[in-house]
DNA sequence: TAAAAGTCGTGATATTTTTCACAATTAATT
DNA sequence: AATTAATTGTGAAAAATATCACGACTTTTA
């Protein structure tokens, strides 16, 4: 669908641009240059211009970008007029933090259902999000295509199989397990322990001054 | 310090390799090939061999890698014999989840102190980690060089300044704010809302089958 | 109105990362 | 002992990403 010419690296930065444009818009700013944007999001200004250029000529030479126009453009590009429903699997420590956070305001994403195996949690809700039993995926998941996975890593593989069976095609996996999926399913890993360890590694092994 | 020849992309994968080698070792496995490892961590086997090769010839042709040897090697490379102490700033929803998680077992990282501005939290502890007042950074932080930032985004910039002043040189920033730091300080961003939105974007705009 | 300053869009170039593909070597098998 | 199968380490190529640098155009200033 659409031009899949857009590099992945660019696609990953789009939500970031979008959020900052939103901020600017709320501050009443009318125009912005790639240089200003660069300082705010810490991405080289040439990279920003290049990123934008994949979508056509969105700016004006000598002027910069019109915030409102750009925002409108991104809104439709990011499908931001419609809310994306997401399921959360595993309402534990991490899962609960997500349930309490509103992705709706800035991101038009709503965690609308949670699933867990713990009988004490099933039937309750967290900040208005109902928790269902994991065995009821089939009945309750209907239509939802994206899942956040915050279960113990030992459960990840089996649960993933079920999620895929029920039509999920996007998984944000916080589990350390590297899950296997058919190739119509997209998995993004966020491995917090790895991130932390990588940071520590960089601190110890890379020159301190100058990047 | 050390050969900073190692590409960043490689460095980021090291903790991942390390964890899987640990698993294998615990399962009693004596040898492993780049092909097996590849299937487990979902990284191309040539990439794995290349990554390892930056540290010298760690394997044996026709045999593969000796798990124990490789593990020992990574242990010292990742400084895994000593525990890295980390401070958590902002014991809210996300912060609490981290405090309840043990990074010690697999990663030799310990969140040893937490800081918050909420008087009701200060003085208590979460899973044994004491919560101090953010104003007491100076007295309490001593020696800690790495911080996890999980405060409201509006506070991020000011707090960062203080952290830097107190000698922090690595920050894992979960705030949507893009913080500004002197260039001897390293910041890694984990922007959960962006990750989620990027996943949704990929699902809608990239071909479903094949990659 | 003319000159100066600012800024985009992009060809060209540089850098980084990934992958291919194979000689060299080891282990396993017959 | 000889043959076959497995697997590394790496030169070379490819792919992806980032940056430079400048012509073209717009806005601002004088
Ligand atoms: N909390 C952190 O800071 C942190 C850090 C790094 C990685 N992780 C990873 O994130 C995942 C979640 O961590 P957590 O701290 O929230 O763990 P947790 O134990 O607090 O939560 C796990 C939740 O999953 C539920 N669960 C167990 N089996 C299930 C099943 N079969 N189906 C549905 N739900 C099931 C449990 O009832 C629990 O509510 C883990 O894989 C962990 O390794 C967490
Ligand atoms: N929870 C999530 O799922 C989620 C998702 C995406 C992004 N984030 C981001 O992570 C950050 C934390 O989120 P959260 O949900 O844990 O928020 P939270 O409000 O639950 O926690 C913030 C904590 O910071 C403390 N705090 C406030 N001001 C402080 C100060 N000056 N010094 C020290 N502590 C201070 C508060 O007392 C509170 O305990 C936010 O920036 C949020 O945008 C969270």
């Amino acid at each position: 669908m659409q031009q899949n010419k857009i590099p992945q690296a660019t696609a990953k930065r789009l939500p970031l641009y979008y959020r900052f444009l939103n901020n600017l818009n709320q501050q009443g700013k009318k125009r912005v240059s790639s240089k200003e944007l660069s300082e705010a999001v810490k991405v080289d200004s040439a990279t920003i211009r290049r990123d934008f250029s994949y979508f056509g000529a969105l700016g004006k030479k000598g002027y910069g970008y019109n915030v409102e126009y750009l925002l409108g453009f991104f809104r439709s590009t990011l499908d931001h007029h419609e809310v994306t429903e997401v399921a959360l699997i595993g309402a534990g420590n991490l899962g609960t933090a997500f349930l309490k956070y509103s992705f709706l305001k800035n991101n038009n994403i709503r965690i609308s259902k949670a699933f867990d195996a713990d009988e004490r949690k099933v039937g309750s809700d967290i900040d208005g999000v109902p928790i269902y039993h994991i065995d009821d995926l089939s009945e309750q998941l209907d239509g939802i295509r994206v899942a956040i996975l915050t279960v113990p890593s030992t459960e990840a593989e089996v649960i993933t199989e079920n999620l895929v069976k029920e039509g999920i095609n996007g998984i944000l996996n916080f589990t350390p397990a590297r899950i296997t999926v058919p190739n119509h399913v997209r998995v993004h890993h966020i491995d917090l322990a790895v991130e932390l360890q990588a940071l520590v590694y960089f601190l110890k092994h890379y020159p301190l001054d100058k990047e």
Side-chain angles (χ1 to χ4, degrees), chain A:
Chain A
M1 2 195 149
Q2 196 168 323
Q3 348 92 285
N4 55 340
K5 305 285 168 48
I6 292 138
Q8 304 227 352
T10 296
K12 284 186 185 170
R13 284 187 291 264
L14 296 183
L16 186 60
Y17 297 146
Y18 180 71
R19 193 171 56 213
F20 273 87
L21 287 170
N22 240 325
N23 289 353
L24 290 178
N25 194 44
Q26 274 160 21
Q27 286 162 30
K29 260 196 146 240
K30 291 294 172 215
R31 58 183 268 193
V32 65
S33 69
S34 61
K35 188 152 164 288
E36 282 176 275
L37 216 41
S38 167
E39 276 151 27
V41 301
K42 318 280 184 202
V43 171
D44 186 275
S45 68
T47 302
I48 293 178
R49 292 200 299 282
R50 174 79 64 198
D51 282 348
F52 288 1
S53 77
Y54 291 115
F55 299 97
L58 302 177
K60 245 190 205 166
K61 297 178 179 178
Y63 174 85
Y65 301 89
N66 179 297
V67 173
E68 212 162 329
Y69 174 77
L70 204 53
L71 199 54
F73 184 84
F74 276 110
R75 210 191 309 278
S76 56
T77 299
L78 292 171
D79 301 296
H80 215 269
H81 41 277
E82 60 184 42
V83 172
T84 301
E85 308 277 349
V86 171
L88 183 130
I89 319 295
N93 292 320
L94 205 49
T96 300
F98 296 158
L99 290 174
K100 288 184 178 168
Y101 186 79
S102 175
F103 293 94
L104 194 55
K105 199 179 125 222
N106 282 307
N107 305 83
N108 254 31
I109 287 169
R110 176 168 45 220
I111 303 179
S112 42
K113 294 181 176 184
F115 295 86
D116 206 294
D118 188 334
E119 299 290 353
R120 288 164 301 180
K121 291 178 183 174
V122 172
S124 69
D125 73 292
I126 293 176
D127 270 27
V129 182
I131 303 179
Y132 299 100
H133 198 282
I134 186 73
D135 293 343
D136 297 339
L137 268 182
S138 195
E139 296 95 86
Q140 293 295 340
L141 206 56
D142 84 316
I144 298 180
R145 291 308 177 82
V146 180
I148 298 174
L149 196 59
T150 48
V151 296
S153 59
T154 47
E155 311 289 321
E157 196 66 54
V158 176
I159 293 177
T160 298
E161 269 176 48
N162 290 329
L163 289 173
V164 170
K165 214 175 287 168
E166 299 303 334
I168 290 286
N169 55 23
I171 297 176
L172 194 58
N173 177 26
F174 286 88
T175 288
R178 250 52 182 174
I179 57 187
T180 305
V181 293
N183 56 11
H184 69 275
V185 177
R186 184 156 199 127
V187 178
H188 286 201
H189 291 274
I190 300 184
D191 198 322
L192 299 172
V194 162
E195 298 285 345
L196 197 47
Q197 214 172 348
L199 175 63
V200 169
Y201 179 83
F202 276 108
L203 290 178
K204 297 214 175 155
H205 294 93
Y206 281 70
L208 286 170
D209 277 294
K210 239 198 126 269
E211 185 22 50

